Amino acid sequence: MSKSLLELTPVEAVACCAPVTREPLSAEAAERIVPLVKAIADPVRLRLLSLVASHADGEACVCDLNDAFDLSQPTISHHLKLLHQAGLLDREKRGVWVYYRINTAALGDLAGLLGGVTA
Amino acid sequence: MSKSLLELTPVEAVACCAPVTREPLSAEAAERIVPLVKAIADPVRLRLLSLVASHADGEACVCDLNDAFDLSQPTISHHLKLLHQAGLLDREKRGVWVYYRINTAALGDLAGLLGGVTA
DNA sequence: TCGTCACATCGACATCCATCTATGTCCGGA
DNA sequence: TCCGGACATAGATGGATGTCGATGTGACGA
Protein backbone atom coordinates (compact mmCIF):
# COMPACT_ATOMS: atom_id res chain seq x y z
CA MET A 1 0.00 0.00 0.00
CA SER A 2 1.04 3.61 -0.42
CA LYS A 3 2.60 5.54 2.38
CA SER A 4 0.33 7.45 4.72
CA LEU A 5 0.40 11.20 4.55
CA LEU A 6 2.35 11.47 7.77
CA GLU A 7 5.18 9.34 6.41
CA LEU A 8 5.70 11.51 3.36
CA THR A 9 8.38 14.14 3.18
CA PRO A 10 6.97 17.64 2.64
CA VAL A 11 8.09 17.39 -0.95
CA GLU A 12 6.12 14.23 -1.63
CA ALA A 13 3.04 15.64 0.06
CA VAL A 14 3.11 18.75 -2.10
CA ALA A 15 3.73 17.32 -5.56
CA CYS A 16 0.03 16.81 -6.23
CA CYS A 17 -1.31 20.25 -5.38
CA ALA A 18 -2.85 22.85 -7.66
CA PRO A 19 -1.09 26.21 -7.99
CA VAL A 20 -1.75 28.70 -5.25
CA THR A 21 -3.35 31.17 -7.62
CA ARG A 22 -5.85 28.75 -9.13
CA GLU A 23 -8.18 28.09 -6.24
CA PRO A 24 -8.31 28.86 -2.51
CA LEU A 25 -5.91 26.68 -0.60
CA SER A 26 -7.51 24.49 2.02
CA ALA A 27 -6.16 24.66 5.53
CA GLU A 28 -4.90 21.10 5.14
CA ALA A 29 -3.12 21.82 1.88
CA ALA A 30 -1.51 24.91 3.39
CA GLU A 31 -0.23 22.87 6.33
CA ARG A 32 1.35 20.40 3.92
CA ILE A 33 3.04 23.06 1.82
CA VAL A 34 4.36 25.27 4.59
CA PRO A 35 7.07 22.92 5.92
CA LEU A 36 8.64 22.94 2.48
CA VAL A 37 8.60 26.72 2.30
CA LYS A 38 9.94 27.04 5.82
CA ALA A 39 12.81 24.78 4.86
CA ILE A 40 14.07 27.45 2.47
CA ALA A 41 13.03 30.43 4.58
CA ASP A 42 16.47 30.86 6.10
CA PRO A 43 19.49 32.53 4.52
CA VAL A 44 21.87 29.74 5.52
CA ARG A 45 19.65 26.99 4.16
CA LEU A 46 19.03 28.92 0.96
CA ARG A 47 22.76 29.25 0.42
CA LEU A 48 23.36 25.61 1.30
CA LEU A 49 20.78 24.59 -1.27
CA SER A 50 22.35 26.88 -3.83
CA LEU A 51 25.85 25.66 -3.06
CA VAL A 52 24.88 22.02 -3.49
CA ALA A 53 22.84 22.70 -6.61
CA SER A 54 25.57 24.62 -8.37
CA HIS A 55 28.42 22.40 -7.23
CA ALA A 56 30.39 20.31 -9.69
CA ASP A 57 28.90 16.81 -10.10
CA GLY A 58 25.70 18.13 -8.52
CA GLU A 59 26.75 17.02 -5.09
CA ALA A 60 28.76 18.46 -2.23
CA CYS A 61 30.57 17.12 0.79
CA VAL A 62 29.67 18.48 4.19
CA CYS A 63 33.27 19.48 4.74
CA ASP A 64 33.08 21.82 1.75
CA LEU A 65 29.84 23.34 2.98
CA ASN A 66 31.17 23.98 6.47
CA ASP A 67 33.98 26.09 5.09
CA ALA A 68 31.56 28.39 3.28
CA PHE A 69 30.04 29.74 6.48
CA ASP A 70 31.17 31.41 9.68
CA LEU A 71 29.06 29.00 11.65
CA SER A 72 29.81 26.02 13.84
CA GLN A 73 29.79 22.53 12.35
CA PRO A 74 26.74 21.42 14.40
CA THR A 75 24.77 24.38 13.08
CA ILE A 76 25.47 23.47 9.46
CA SER A 77 24.65 19.86 10.24
CA HIS A 78 21.36 21.01 11.74
CA HIS A 79 20.37 22.98 8.63
CA LEU A 80 21.34 20.12 6.33
CA LYS A 81 19.17 17.81 8.37
CA LEU A 82 16.17 20.11 7.92
CA LEU A 83 16.70 20.33 4.17
CA HIS A 84 17.03 16.56 3.99
CA GLN A 85 13.90 15.97 6.05
CA ALA A 86 11.97 18.34 3.79
CA GLY A 87 13.02 16.20 0.83
CA LEU A 88 15.04 18.94 -0.86
CA LEU A 89 18.42 17.26 -0.36
CA ASP A 90 19.36 13.60 -0.73
CA ARG A 91 21.97 12.21 1.64
CA GLU A 92 24.60 9.59 0.89
CA LYS A 93 27.44 8.42 3.09
CA ARG A 94 30.61 7.29 1.34
CA GLY A 95 33.37 6.21 3.67
CA VAL A 96 34.03 8.94 6.18
CA TRP A 97 32.32 11.63 4.16
CA VAL A 98 28.68 12.50 3.64
CA TYR A 99 27.52 13.90 0.33
CA TYR A 100 24.36 15.87 -0.26
CA ARG A 101 22.65 16.04 -3.64
CA ILE A 102 19.82 18.32 -4.63
CA ASN A 103 16.35 17.03 -5.48
CA THR A 104 15.62 19.11 -8.56
CA ALA A 105 12.10 17.78 -8.96
CA ALA A 106 11.28 19.06 -5.50
CA LEU A 107 12.32 22.62 -6.27
CA GLY A 108 10.45 22.38 -9.54
CA ASP A 109 7.24 21.31 -7.83
CA LEU A 110 7.51 24.17 -5.40
CA ALA A 111 8.16 26.65 -8.18
CA GLY A 112 5.17 25.37 -10.11
CA LEU A 113 3.01 25.70 -7.06
CA LEU A 114 3.91 29.36 -6.73
CA GLY A 115 4.09 30.32 -10.35
CA GLY A 116 0.94 28.51 -11.28
CA VAL A 117 -0.15 30.80 -14.06
CA THR A 118 2.93 30.28 -16.18
CA ALA A 119 3.37 26.58 -15.41
CA MET B 1 17.45 58.48 -9.11
CA SER B 2 16.60 54.90 -8.28
CA LYS B 3 15.59 53.83 -4.84
CA SER B 4 18.26 52.56 -2.48
CA LEU B 5 18.27 48.89 -1.67
CA LEU B 6 16.88 49.45 1.78
CA GLU B 7 13.83 51.22 0.41
CA LEU B 8 12.88 48.38 -1.89
CA THR B 9 10.26 45.82 -1.01
CA PRO B 10 11.65 42.28 -0.87
CA VAL B 11 9.97 41.65 -4.19
CA GLU B 12 11.74 44.52 -5.92
CA ALA B 13 15.07 43.50 -4.44
CA VAL B 14 14.74 39.95 -5.72
CA ALA B 15 13.54 40.49 -9.27
CA CYS B 16 17.06 40.72 -10.66
CA CYS B 17 18.61 37.58 -9.19
CA ALA B 18 19.82 34.47 -10.96
CA PRO B 19 18.09 31.19 -10.15
CA VAL B 20 19.21 29.44 -6.99
CA THR B 21 20.48 26.44 -8.90
CA ARG B 22 22.65 28.35 -11.36
CA GLU B 23 25.39 29.66 -9.12
CA PRO B 24 26.16 29.85 -5.40
CA LEU B 25 24.05 32.47 -3.72
CA SER B 26 26.02 35.22 -2.00
CA ALA B 27 25.22 35.95 1.61
CA GLU B 28 23.85 39.34 0.55
CA ALA B 29 21.59 37.85 -2.12
CA ALA B 30 20.29 35.28 0.33
CA GLU B 31 19.46 38.00 2.84
CA ARG B 32 17.48 39.81 0.16
CA ILE B 33 15.53 36.76 -0.93
CA VAL B 34 14.70 35.32 2.47
CA PRO B 35 12.19 37.99 3.58
CA LEU B 36 10.10 37.14 0.54
CA VAL B 37 10.17 33.44 1.30
CA LYS B 38 9.42 34.03 4.96
CA ALA B 39 6.39 36.03 3.95
CA ILE B 40 4.81 32.88 2.53
CA ALA B 41 6.24 30.50 5.12
CA ASP B 42 3.07 30.54 7.20
CA PRO B 43 -0.13 28.58 6.56
CA VAL B 44 -2.37 31.57 7.21
CA ARG B 45 -0.45 33.86 4.86
CA LEU B 46 -0.30 31.17 2.20
CA ARG B 47 -4.06 30.81 2.35
CA LEU B 48 -4.58 34.57 2.37
CA LEU B 49 -2.46 34.87 -0.74
CA SER B 50 -4.36 32.05 -2.37
CA LEU B 51 -7.74 33.51 -1.38
CA VAL B 52 -6.91 36.90 -2.84
CA ALA B 53 -5.36 35.41 -5.99
CA SER B 54 -8.31 33.18 -6.76
CA HIS B 55 -10.99 35.68 -5.78
CA ALA B 56 -13.35 37.13 -8.35
CA ASP B 57 -12.01 40.39 -9.85
CA GLY B 58 -8.58 39.46 -8.50
CA GLU B 59 -9.10 41.40 -5.33
CA ALA B 60 -10.61 40.75 -1.92
CA CYS B 61 -11.94 42.85 0.94
CA VAL B 62 -10.49 42.34 4.38
CA CYS B 63 -13.95 41.59 5.69
CA ASP B 64 -14.18 38.58 3.38
CA LEU B 65 -10.77 37.34 4.44
CA ASN B 66 -11.52 37.62 8.14
CA ASP B 67 -14.47 35.28 7.78
CA ALA B 68 -12.34 32.56 6.23
CA PHE B 69 -10.30 32.01 9.40
CA ASP B 70 -10.89 31.21 13.03
CA LEU B 71 -8.53 33.99 13.99
CA SER B 72 -8.99 37.44 15.44
CA GLN B 73 -9.25 40.44 13.14
CA PRO B 74 -5.95 41.96 14.33
CA THR B 75 -4.15 38.73 13.53
CA ILE B 76 -5.43 38.72 9.94
CA SER B 77 -4.55 42.39 9.67
CA HIS B 78 -1.06 41.58 10.87
CA HIS B 79 -0.55 38.89 8.24
CA LEU B 80 -1.91 41.10 5.47
CA LYS B 81 0.51 43.81 6.53
CA LEU B 82 3.45 41.42 6.21
CA LEU B 83 2.34 40.27 2.76
CA HIS B 84 1.92 43.88 1.71
CA GLN B 85 5.33 44.90 3.03
CA ALA B 86 6.91 42.00 1.17
CA GLY B 87 5.38 43.35 -2.03
CA LEU B 88 3.17 40.33 -2.64
CA LEU B 89 -0.12 42.16 -2.05
CA ASP B 90 -1.19 45.63 -3.16
CA ARG B 91 -3.40 47.63 -0.84
CA GLU B 92 -6.17 50.02 -1.78
CA LYS B 93 -8.64 51.77 0.48
CA ARG B 94 -12.06 52.51 -0.97
CA GLY B 95 -14.41 54.20 1.44
CA VAL B 96 -14.60 52.21 4.61
CA TRP B 97 -13.23 49.05 3.06
CA VAL B 98 -9.70 47.98 2.20
CA TYR B 99 -9.06 45.77 -0.81
CA TYR B 100 -6.00 43.64 -1.37
CA ARG B 101 -4.85 42.61 -4.82
CA ILE B 102 -2.16 40.09 -5.66
CA ASN B 103 1.11 41.06 -7.32
CA THR B 104 1.36 38.28 -9.87
CA ALA B 105 4.77 39.38 -11.12
CA ALA B 106 6.13 38.97 -7.62
CA LEU B 107 5.04 35.36 -7.32
CA GLY B 108 6.39 34.73 -10.80
CA ASP B 109 9.79 36.13 -9.91
CA LEU B 110 9.96 33.96 -6.83
CA ALA B 111 8.91 30.87 -8.75
CA GLY B 112 11.56 31.58 -11.41
CA LEU B 113 14.16 31.98 -8.73
CA LEU B 114 13.40 28.54 -7.35
CA GLY B 115 12.69 26.70 -10.57
CA GLY B 116 15.64 28.13 -12.39
CA VAL B 117 16.33 25.18 -14.60
CA THR B 118 12.99 25.20 -16.31
CA ALA B 119 12.62 28.97 -16.48
C1' DT C 1 43.70 -1.62 19.89
C1' DC C 2 44.10 3.10 19.90
C1' DG C 3 43.76 7.67 18.09
C1' DT C 4 41.86 10.78 14.88
C1' DC C 5 38.85 12.69 11.60
C1' DA C 6 34.00 13.59 9.74
C1' DC C 7 29.67 14.18 10.98
C1' DA C 8 25.43 13.78 14.04
C1' DT C 9 23.03 14.43 18.39
C1' DC C 10 22.08 16.68 22.88
C1' DG C 11 20.94 20.30 25.99
C1' DA C 12 20.96 25.16 26.90
C1' DC C 13 19.99 29.75 25.71
C1' DA C 14 18.56 33.96 23.30
C1' DT C 15 15.79 35.68 19.88
C1' DC C 16 11.95 35.68 16.83
C1' DC C 17 7.13 35.22 15.80
C1' DA C 18 2.01 34.15 15.82
C1' DT C 19 -1.58 35.16 18.55
C1' DC C 20 -4.39 37.50 21.79
C1' DT C 21 -6.94 41.69 24.14
C1' DA C 22 -7.31 46.50 24.36
C1' DT C 23 -7.21 50.65 22.07
C1' DG C 24 -6.72 54.01 18.23
C1' DT C 25 -8.07 55.98 13.61
C1' DC C 26 -10.85 56.92 9.82
C1' DC C 27 -15.12 57.02 7.36
C1' DG C 28 -20.13 57.26 6.64
C1' DG C 29 -24.88 57.64 8.35
C1' DA C 30 -28.34 59.53 11.45
C1' DT D 1 -22.24 66.28 16.11
C1' DC D 2 -22.43 61.82 17.63
C1' DC D 3 -22.36 56.89 16.98
C1' DG D 4 -21.06 52.59 14.92
C1' DG D 5 -18.55 49.81 11.66
C1' DA D 6 -14.01 48.55 9.27
C1' DC D 7 -9.47 48.21 9.80
C1' DA D 8 -4.79 49.25 11.99
C1' DT D 9 -1.67 49.64 15.94
C1' DA D 10 0.22 48.66 20.65
C1' DG D 11 1.68 45.73 24.21
C1' DA D 12 1.92 41.18 26.31
C1' DT D 13 2.80 36.24 26.15
C1' DG D 14 3.76 31.36 24.95
C1' DG D 15 5.88 28.55 21.62
C1' DA D 16 9.02 27.89 17.72
C1' DT D 17 13.77 28.35 16.00
C1' DG D 18 18.84 29.45 15.15
C1' DT D 19 23.02 29.09 17.44
C1' DC D 20 26.41 27.35 20.49
C1' DG D 21 29.68 24.02 23.24
C1' DA D 22 29.94 19.35 24.73
C1' DT D 23 29.48 14.81 23.61
C1' DG D 24 28.36 10.56 20.84
C1' DT D 25 29.17 7.47 16.71
C1' DG D 26 31.29 5.31 13.04
C1' DA D 27 35.11 4.74 9.76
C1' DC D 28 39.92 4.73 8.63
C1' DG D 29 45.02 4.40 9.56
C1' DA D 30 49.00 3.36 12.51
Side-chain angles (χ1 to χ4, degrees):
Chain A
M1 61 175 282
S2 68
K3 293 192 269 186
S4 87
L5 193 58
L6 290 178
E7 295 170 355
L8 300 175
T9 65
V11 158
E12 292 171 328
V14 150
C16 59
C17 298
V20 172
T21 52
R22 280 271 295 281
E23 53 186 69
L25 222 51
S26 71
E28 294 74 22
E31 296 288 350
R32 284 202 305 274
I33 297 175
V34 160
L36 193 54
V37 181
K38 281 190 174 179
I40 60 170
D42 179 277
V44 175
R45 289 196 291 272
L46 208 50
R47 288 181 63 199
L48 280 171
L49 208 62
S50 177
L51 275 172
V52 173
S54 59
H55 203 271
D57 304 328
E59 65 180 14
C61 174
V62 176
C63 52
D64 296 330
L65 302 173
N66 275 325
D67 295 344
F69 298 86
D70 269 343
L71 293 172
S72 69
Q73 173 265 324
T75 297
I76 300 298
S77 183
H78 166 69
H79 286 304
L80 287 171
K81 181 182 182 179
L82 291 186
L83 287 170
H84 175 59
Q85 285 177 337
L88 290 167
L89 287 183
D90 294 329
R91 201 184 103 100
E92 185 187 355
K93 182 160 186 172
R94 291 206 294 269
V96 184
W97 297 280
V98 172
Y99 292 84
Y100 283 91
R101 178 179 295 273
I102 200 163
N103 184 341
T104 51
L107 266 187
D109 287 343
L110 188 53
L113 206 67
L114 299 181
V117 195
T118 64
Chain B
M1 61 176 283
S2 66
K3 292 191 266 187
S4 87
L5 194 58
L6 289 178
E7 295 170 354
L8 300 174
T9 64
V11 158
E12 292 170 328
V14 149
C16 59
C17 299
V20 172
T21 52
R22 280 272 295 282
E23 53 186 67
L25 222 52
S26 71
E28 294 74 22
E31 295 289 350
R32 283 202 307 274
I33 297 175
V34 159
L36 193 54
V37 181
K38 281 192 174 178
I40 60 171
D42 179 279
V44 174
R45 289 196 290 273
L46 209 50
R47 288 181 63 200
L48 280 171
L49 208 61
S50 178
L51 275 171
V52 173
S54 59
H55 203 271
D57 304 328
E59 64 180 13
C61 174
V62 176
C63 52
D64 297 330
L65 301 174
N66 274 325
D67 296 343
F69 298 86
D70 270 342
L71 293 171
S72 68
Q73 173 266 323
T75 296
I76 300 298
S77 182
H78 166 69
H79 286 304
L80 287 171
K81 181 181 181 179
L82 291 186
L83 287 170
H84 174 59
Q85 286 177 335
L88 290 167
L89 287 183
D90 294 328
R91 202 184 103 102
E92 185 187 353
K93 182 161 189 173
R94 291 207 293 271
V96 184
W97 296 279
V98 172
Y99 292 85
Y100 283 92
R101 178 178 296 273
I102 200 163
N103 184 340
T104 51
L107 267 187
D109 288 343
L110 187 53
L113 206 66
L114 299 181
V117 194
T118 65

